[in-house]
Amino acid sequence: MSTAMLIATGPDGAEHRYVLAARCLLGREEDCDVHDIFSGARSVGRHHAAILLLGDRYVLQDLGSRKGTLLNDRPVGDRASLEPGDRIGIGDVELRFVLEAAEPEAPPPASAPREESLPPGIVTTKAVLPPGAVEEAAATEGERRKLWALVGMLGEMGQSLEVDESLEHLLTGLFRIFPGAERGFVAILDPRTDQVVTRAVKLQGKKRPGTPKPSQTIAKVAMERTEAVLSLDAMSDPRFKKAQSIALSQVRSVMCAPLLDAGGQAVGILQLDSLTNKTQFKAEDLEVLASIAPQASMVLRYARLHEEALERKTLDRDLDLARRVQLALLPQQTPEIDGYEVLAHYEAAYQIGGDYYDYVPLPDGRWACLVADAAGKGVSAALLTAKLSGELSTYLSRASSGAEALNRMSQSFAAMSDDLPCRFVTLALVVLDPRTHTVELVNAGHTLPLHLRSDGTLEEVGQALRGPALGMFPERTYQSLELRLAPGDVLTLYTDGFSEATNADDALYGVERLRGRVARPDASVRAIVDGLVADVEAFVAGERQSDDMCLICLRRTPSG
């Protein structure tokens, strides 16, 4: 079995190799599986990206990093599959994904026929006509009529920006070109099921009972080979007798051409077939259909872009509603804790954010205060924070400790589907007992809280006990640290939207500057929070906020 690895060249010029497990975290924090290669790289996030084993494939996922992640010099969206030899760019570091035992297969000889694996009666052709094919196809009057019908059909398709209307023009035109066809289909590949799903259908002649569907078997051949396929008589072909789609519909002659996206990948099919022996498509017909498919693909792409623009308007309205719902999940008032001042700040970078904070009253008079940061941005991150909001308060009220509650929350995230673009959340939690002034601190891969003592000393706490992000490694249990707050002591929990804020020169605000703003032992929590927010705004000087910003400041009053 092949071993998956990442190979990179370090700053010292030495080669570094990292064997990949089922989950691998990449970033500059020490709790990442791959971190030493990024030492000192400010352009690399604390938890920058992850590589996950989903089934039998490895997937690269950006975790909402400020600078993004590249795959073969192109930005990664939510996630992308990895192939041997792929280059992953994080900051100034390039890592190569390899399968150590994998050997590339030798390409088949140029003269080797490709039809040998197809059933008898199947003819294939490339989806692009060879030079001179159009002139040769127009040699007869019948072929000339086909070409004129083709020109008219493409013209009608180009006049419409509605996908369904364009597909109707396409199939109507094909029936004029191929009057012997009884059924026509446009079907789109559903990547979740690996099946083609009918988007448009047109029938002529006597209708038969049941819902007409294209042949999945022929569609699969056409899409895998990105070639147009012709079957002279599918029902009489012994190799097709096990194909349920052909047996049920009793398809006779059929031709199928793939629809390709801008990158040349098959995303659907265009299929014409006949259910009787009266019509038998020829190789010349297949050439015409193969010449139509690329043009149809292009027109449909433009129509789809127009459709997406209309959908975007609806999405904007939905996002505004989602933003209001998300804000409603945040605490609507600051808790009154005897002997303590508490204040929070929340500001999303986009319409909806992935940061979250909460105050949870516990049955025995204690209070849980937490700050969280979901992997990614936008809707997917917001859904994770909604799940966190709905479940964590229940775990906290029933668990004997904050650590136990986070163990349960981590298992809940890990149980979510691997198909989700992200399902990891970093979180810092303090459980305050105002009677004894003790604090239980638990950290799930989050920035370290700042403990400011009344004498002015400031330190980051909990480094040794920091665990992984929630959902990353559910088999690992969280440990807690106990602190006692003296009168005037301050605890600050924050997300990295503060420390990683950037100005026009691409400089980071940084943890050191943040520490300097927080280290004000005689100030109220209002003065500390307002001063920090104002200083970050002055630093970025109008540059667009790149990440959500969230913090909680907790202070024991000096008179307490």
Side-chain angles (χ1 to χ4, degrees):
M1 184 175 179
S2 300
T3 301
M5 302 181 67
L6 293 178
I7 301 177
T9 301
D12 55 356
E15 184 180 85
H16 295 247
R17 290 174 170 255
Y18 306 93
V19 177
L20 297 180
R23 292 186 178 93
C24 179
L25 191 61
L26 298 87
R28 68 172 190 267
E29 285 288 346
E30 292 185 0
D31 61 345
C32 293
D33 303 282
V34 179
H35 63 84
D36 57 309
I37 196 75
F38 306 120
S39 178
R42 295 196 305 174
S43 60
V44 178
R46 296 184 306 106
H47 302 105
H48 195 103
I51 295 178
L52 311 174
L53 179 60
L54 304 181
D56 59 353
R57 63 191 178 102
Y58 281 90
V59 171
L60 173 65
Q61 176 178 319
D62 183 81
L63 298 180
S65 62
R66 184 172 57 89
K67 291 293 188 180
T69 304
L70 301 180
L71 178 60
N72 299 324
D73 301 322
R74 294 186 176 183
V76 173
D78 281 333
R79 58 171 53 175
S81 296
L82 291 173
E83 299 292 340
D86 279 351
R87 295 173 290 107
I88 301 170
I90 297 179
D92 296 329
V93 177
E94 182 175 280
L95 304 100
R96 187 161 50 91
F97 175 75
V98 299
L99 295 177
E100 192 174 57
E103 297 183 2
E105 297 180 1
S111 59
R114 300 189 64 185
E115 279 66 38
E116 58 200 23
S117 61
L118 289 175
I122 295 295
V123 180
T124 68
T125 180
K126 285 292 183 183
V128 179
L129 286 174
V134 173
E135 294 79 3
E136 182 178 348
T140 67
E141 185 63 28
E143 296 306 316
R144 289 193 185 94
R145 286 197 297 270
K146 282 186 179 181
L147 292 178
W148 279 114
L150 168 61
V151 172
M153 178 193 68
L154 294 177
E156 291 174 353
M157 289 180 63
Q159 294 175 5
S160 174
L161 289 177
E162 299 294 333
V163 173
D164 291 338
E165 187 176 345
S166 296
L167 296 180
E168 176 67 24
H169 288 317
L170 171 61
L171 293 177
T172 299
L174 287 175
F175 274 45
R176 288 200 298 263
I177 297 171
F178 304 105
E182 297 181 37
R183 307 190 308 171
F185 301 95
V186 178
I188 305 300
L189 178 67
D190 183 346
R192 296 170 299 179
T193 62
D194 200 32
Q195 299 287 306
V196 292
V197 179
T198 303
R199 180 66 192 264
V201 60
K202 190 173 182 65
L203 308 175
Q204 71 177 8
K206 184 179 179 181
K207 293 185 179 180
R208 301 193 179 195
T211 303
K213 295 180 181 179
S215 166
Q216 295 284 344
T217 304
I218 298 294
K220 185 176 182 180
V221 172
M223 294 182 69
E224 287 181 349
R225 292 172 171 257
T226 61
E227 294 177 352
V229 174
L230 168 65
S231 177
L232 304 180
D233 189 349
M235 283 294 293
S236 65
D237 191 330
R239 300 283 297 277
F240 275 151
K241 284 190 175 180
K242 292 183 179 180
Q244 186 178 13
S245 59
I246 295 176
L248 292 177
S249 59
Q250 297 184 330
V251 173
R252 293 295 181 176
S253 188
V254 59
M255 54 182 179
C256 178
L259 298 176
L260 310 179
D261 63 14
Q265 297 296 314
V267 295
I269 55 100
L270 181 60
Q271 181 174 309
L272 294 177
D273 61 35
S274 170
L275 305 181
T276 67
N277 288 322
K278 296 180 180 179
T279 299
Q280 193 172 63
F281 298 113
K282 302 176 182 178
E284 292 81 0
D285 297 327
L286 188 67
E287 296 286 355
V288 175
L289 186 68
S291 69
I292 293 173
Q295 305 302 321
S297 299
M298 182 177 64
V299 172
L300 291 176
R301 284 200 296 271
Y302 282 119
R304 180 57 186 162
L305 288 175
H306 173 71
E307 189 178 73
E308 289 174 353
L310 297 178
E311 291 172 352
R312 179 66 188 180
K313 293 182 179 180
T314 302
L315 178 60
D316 287 341
R317 291 194 295 268
D318 291 343
L319 287 176
D320 182 64
L321 176 61
R323 179 185 63 83
R324 284 180 280 167
V325 170
Q326 186 182 42
L327 291 176
L329 294 176
L330 299 175
Q332 301 303 300
Q333 60 184 14
T334 302
E336 295 183 3
I337 305 176
D338 188 29
Y340 285 86
E341 297 177 79
V342 185
L343 187 64
H345 176 84
Y346 174 85
E347 187 176 353
Y350 302 97
Q351 283 179 287
I352 52 179
D355 283 6
Y356 177 73
Y357 77 96
D358 202 359
Y359 312 113
V360 182
L362 302 181
D364 55 2
R366 294 176 301 154
W367 279 88
C369 302
L370 62 103
V371 166
D373 186 356
K377 295 181 177 66
V379 175
S380 60
L383 290 175
L384 287 183
T385 61
K387 178 179 175 65
L388 183 73
S389 171
E391 295 184 20
L392 185 56
S393 59
T394 301
Y395 295 143
L396 285 168
S397 63
R398 296 177 179 177
S400 60
S401 66
E404 181 184 342
L406 292 197
N407 287 334
R408 295 181 182 178
M409 193 72 241
S410 183
Q411 292 168 3
S412 178
F413 277 128
M416 297 169 66
S417 172
D418 283 335
D419 293 332
L420 294 176
C422 60
R423 56 175 185 167
F424 311 125
V425 175
T426 67
L427 182 145
L429 168 71
V430 295
V431 179
L432 169 67
D433 188 338
R435 299 164 299 184
T436 62
H437 306 294
T438 56
V439 167
E440 178 196 8
L441 170 66
V442 191
N443 194 315
H446 200 74
T447 53
L448 296 177
L450 300 176
H451 181 198
L452 173 65
R453 294 184 174 85
S454 57
D455 61 5
T457 58
L458 180 74
E459 68 172 340
E460 295 178 328
V461 291
Q463 170 66 48
L465 298 177
R466 181 163 60 174
L470 296 175
M472 181 68 73
F473 298 106
E475 68 279 3
R476 292 171 58 178
T477 57
Y478 294 98
Q479 305 297 319
S480 59
L481 170 70
E482 185 174 293
L483 298 175
R484 188 177 189 281
L485 298 181
D489 280 8
V490 180
L491 268 181
T492 302
L493 315 178
Y494 67 95
T495 61
D496 56 12
F498 285 94
S499 58
E500 296 187 359
T502 57
N503 60 18
D505 297 326
D506 206 29
L508 290 176
Y509 183 79
V511 175
E512 289 305 315
R513 183 163 176 168
L514 185 149
R515 288 165 59 104
R517 293 301 309 182
V518 171
R520 304 175 62 189
D522 297 328
S524 66
V525 292
R526 170 65 66 183
I528 293 174
V529 172
D530 290 352
L532 174 60
V533 172
D535 193 50
V536 171
E537 291 177 349
F539 175 80
V540 300
E543 285 295 299
R544 182 176 178 179
Q545 184 180 338
S546 61
D547 200 359
D548 306 330
M549 296 194 300
C550 180
L551 68 77
I552 287 180
C553 196
L554 172 70
R555 179 175 186 253
R556 183 181 176 188
T557 56
S559 61

